[in-house]
Amino acid sequence: MINIGLVSIDTSHPKTYAKNMAEHPELGLRYAMLFDDGFRGDDEVEWFIKKYNMLPRAESIDELAEKTDVGFIQGCNWDKKLDQSISFILRGKPVFIDKPFVGSIRDIKRVRELIAGGAKILGSSATRYAEEVQSFMQKPVEERGEVISVYVTSGNNEFDYAVHAGELLSEIAGAPAVSCRYVDGSERDGGKTEIFTVKFENGVIGTYCTELTRWYPFSVTIVTTKTVYTTTIAPSKVYYQILSRLSQALHSGKNVLTSIDSLLNVTEFLLCGKRSRDFENGREVKIEELREDDAFDGYTFEKEYAREAKVIYKD
């Protein structure tokens, strides 16, 4: 059994992950201890600890890293995540950074430095491993055809949820992105939608449509040289898929999730889209044009998320 040190229960992910771990003991994973410096109240933190029969609440991330086997960094503020990982990395222990992996050029550079120094970092959006996507990707190219273009929808916001769309595009395109541009936006019935287009190294064109004010399903349309494949991802199933891969990686010591380069590339092209919209009047922005200060603001997102959040850790 691998004992997980959990950092923060801001989002619903820890609850959903814990439920899946309990229902699938063959995964050999359990949340063993929690350090929380997020916005959840003590009542929710203590409920989570009691519900999943965990050790008493950790007083620091150092204590958490000392007493567990791996870190799961699952707060909502991506700008904190690398700092929250360091105690595990310094002890030579692996760390899983939940989506969004990182949100800035500064942190992209830090990740590369940490990996070069031997850090064991895992990460990903669960949507990459959705059965609806993987079943298509595993078909022989002779049957499904070469991918020409991909269209993905997501809801809620421009990064925390849009990263799901970005990772879907990355997985299906099967190559690094080289650029992104903002196409246009529309406001209707209180909603705001934005559309971006991504170019990949192998010629695949990806488009992601983000609804910024309400939830949208993850709908995927893939155009190939032989067919058009359309599906909507069932959110309830994707968590087991990523936990299964995490279990394999942690028990074997081999990363069977997507590469760190792919994860960083998703943040890069989403940042290109942001720069295209905010500063370049929709011009195509190449990844090499990104600047040191290009970033999505995790602290502002955390404040907004906390303001809207409801109590979820309760019976």
Side-chain angles (χ1 to χ4, degrees):
M1 181 67 69
I2 291 175
N3 292 309
I4 298 166
L6 170 60
V7 179
S8 292
I9 57 170
D10 295 341
T11 73
S12 64
H13 278 194
K15 188 175 186 179
T16 308
Y17 277 40
K19 181 175 182 291
N20 275 269
M21 291 175 197
E23 291 174 350
H24 298 279
E26 72 277 8
L27 292 172
L29 302 174
R30 67 179 291 266
Y31 286 127
M33 198 174 196
L34 166 64
F35 172 80
D36 192 284
D37 64 351
F39 61 81
R40 297 287 173 187
D42 289 342
D43 55 338
E44 290 191 85
V45 172
E46 294 304 325
W47 178 91
F48 191 87
I49 291 170
K50 183 178 179 180
K51 175 76 173 179
Y52 297 106
N53 194 29
M54 298 167 70
L55 294 171
R57 184 176 184 174
E59 296 297 320
S60 67
I61 298 182
D62 278 342
E63 180 188 1
L64 189 70
E66 190 64 37
K67 294 182 177 179
T68 58
D69 303 319
V70 57
F72 273 35
I73 315 300
Q74 296 190 283
C76 70
N77 183 346
W78 51 84
D79 288 333
K80 293 179 177 179
K81 289 181 176 179
L82 284 185
D83 288 339
Q84 292 170 332
S85 303
I86 294 300
S87 291
F88 292 93
I89 291 170
L90 291 176
R91 288 167 172 80
K93 296 183 179 182
V95 61
F96 166 70
I97 300 178
D98 206 350
K99 68 87 191 172
F101 191 62
V102 291
S104 67
I105 293 300
R106 181 180 64 88
D107 278 347
I108 286 172
K109 290 181 177 179
R110 288 181 68 195
V111 169
R112 289 188 170 129
E113 290 168 358
L114 289 167
I115 294 293
K120 303 168 186 175
I121 303 176
L122 304 169
S124 183
S125 151
T127 56
R128 273 189 185 264
Y129 312 114
E131 184 179 346
E132 297 89 345
V133 172
Q134 291 301 319
S135 63
F136 172 84
M137 297 300 294
Q138 289 163 12
K139 290 179 180 178
V141 172
E142 295 77 16
E143 178 184 340
R144 63 171 170 83
E146 296 281 359
V147 176
I148 297 172
S149 64
V150 190
Y151 179 86
V152 180
T153 61
S154 70
N156 288 346
N157 52 61
E158 69 171 358
F159 184 54
D160 179 68
Y161 254 67
V163 74
H164 286 300
E167 293 216 24
L168 282 166
L169 292 178
S170 174
E171 182 74 7
I172 297 165
V178 296
S179 68
C180 183
R181 72 179 182 92
Y182 170 69
V183 177
D184 212 337
S186 175
E187 296 188 40
R188 184 172 295 179
D189 296 331
K192 184 177 182 181
T193 301
E194 295 183 335
I195 297 175
F196 300 81
T197 298
V198 187
K199 287 184 180 179
F200 290 89
E201 205 172 71
N202 59 357
V204 171
I205 300 296
T207 300
Y208 61 100
C209 174
T210 61
E211 163 53 57
L212 302 181
T213 54
R214 52 196 165 207
W215 185 86
Y216 264 15
F218 298 114
S219 177
V220 181
T221 297
I222 307 169
V223 179
T224 79
T225 51
K226 292 194 172 184
T227 187
V228 176
Y229 175 79
T230 299
T231 188
T232 298
I233 291 170
S236 61
K237 296 181 180 180
V238 295
Y239 298 103
Y240 173 75
Q241 299 299 329
I242 190 170
L243 281 169
S244 177
R245 292 189 182 231
L246 276 168
S247 175
Q248 292 178 57
L250 294 170
H251 282 96
S252 70
K254 298 179 181 178
N255 184 13
V256 292
L257 283 82
T258 194
S259 71
I260 296 299
D261 283 340
S262 291
L263 294 174
L264 298 180
N265 184 244
V266 170
T267 297
E268 287 174 332
F269 76 68
L270 292 173
L271 284 170
C272 286
K274 182 178 186 298
R275 170 159 286 281
S276 173
R277 180 195 65 198
D278 294 348
F279 304 110
E280 305 292 344
N281 197 32
R283 179 183 68 84
E284 177 186 1
V285 175
K286 296 180 179 180
I287 286 172
E288 58 261 32
E289 296 180 76
L290 290 171
R291 305 177 185 180
E292 190 72 26
D293 60 349
D294 279 313
F296 292 99
D297 187 345
Y299 284 94
T300 295
F301 178 79
E302 181 180 21
K303 291 177 182 176
E304 294 171 350
Y305 193 95
R307 186 173 60 247
E308 299 294 328
K310 297 178 174 59
V311 173
I312 59 172
Y313 292 98
K314 62 178 182 177
D315 292 313

